[in-house]
């Protein structure tokens, strides 16, 4: 298989497809936010945290115990995820419990896992 096997070798422009795609293209701000979302979830430690939170609402101590990491490092990553709207927290007395922000985040994460598992 040559490395250029998948390079288009024609000069035909499919105007209807190009125009339809241009018409439906997201705004630059939305594209930037989407890229930032994937950049945030593109970290192995954060993915591990998301997996844990996909299973259960958890406090920092529990997540740190599951991942065998320090509370400080987990708190740092949770802060990034929280500021990005990927996780949310609720306080119960002195404890703070974290969970995935909403059903969309849960679906995106679970679809990603399903995609990877399916390709094995």
């Amino acid at each position: 298989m040559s490395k250029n096997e998948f390079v288009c070798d024609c000069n035909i422009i499919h105007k209807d497809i190009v125009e339809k795609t241009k018409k439906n293209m997201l705004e630059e701000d939305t594209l930037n936010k989407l890229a930032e979302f994937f950049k945030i979830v593109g970290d192995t430690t954060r993915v591990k945290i998301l997996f844990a939170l996909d299973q259960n609402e958890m406090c920092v101590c529990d997540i740190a115990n599951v991942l065998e990491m320090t509370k400080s490092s987990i708190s740092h990553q949770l802060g990034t995820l929280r500021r990005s709207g990927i996780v949310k927290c609720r306080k119960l007395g002195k404890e703070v419990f974290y969970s995935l922000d909403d059903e969309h985040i849960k679906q995106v994460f679970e679809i990603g896992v399903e995609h990877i598992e399916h390709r094995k």
Side-chain angles (χ1 to χ4, degrees):
M1 180 184 311
S2 78
K3 67 179 182 179
N4 291 327
E5 182 176 339
F6 299 107
V7 174
C8 185
D9 195 25
C10 69
N11 292 317
I12 299 169
I13 304 298
H14 302 91
K15 288 185 179 185
D16 53 336
I17 294 171
V18 170
E19 290 304 316
K20 180 180 177 184
T21 304
K22 279 182 152 185
K23 180 182 172 199
N24 293 324
M25 185 60 69
L26 297 172
E27 292 182 14
E28 196 68 25
D29 184 56
T30 303
L31 292 168
N32 289 333
K33 287 177 181 175
L34 185 59
E36 185 63 25
F37 170 81
F38 283 110
K39 192 185 313 180
I40 295 294
V41 298
D43 174 90
T44 304
T45 299
R46 291 192 283 263
V47 168
K48 289 177 183 178
I49 292 170
L50 294 176
F51 181 81
L53 295 178
D54 189 44
Q55 307 300 303
N56 295 293
E57 177 183 63
M58 301 175 84
C59 71
V60 174
C61 295
D62 292 338
I63 298 168
N65 192 275
V66 167
L67 301 184
E68 299 177 349
M69 296 176 68
T70 65
K71 290 189 299 183
S72 175
S73 62
I74 296 299
S75 292
H76 174 74
Q77 297 298 345
L78 283 168
T80 299
L81 292 166
R82 192 176 48 77
R83 286 187 298 278
S84 299
I86 296 170
V87 301
K88 62 184 176 185
C89 62
R90 71 175 178 89
K91 196 165 183 169
L92 184 63
K94 291 185 177 186
E95 293 181 283
V96 178
F97 291 91
Y98 290 86
S99 60
L100 299 180
D101 187 68
D102 62 23
E103 193 60 31
H104 295 111
I105 298 298
K106 186 172 181 62
Q107 289 174 353
V108 167
F109 184 76
E110 290 176 357
I111 288 169
V113 171
E114 183 181 327
H115 176 73
I116 298 304
E117 291 292 320
H118 177 72
R119 295 188 55 105
K120 284 185 175 178

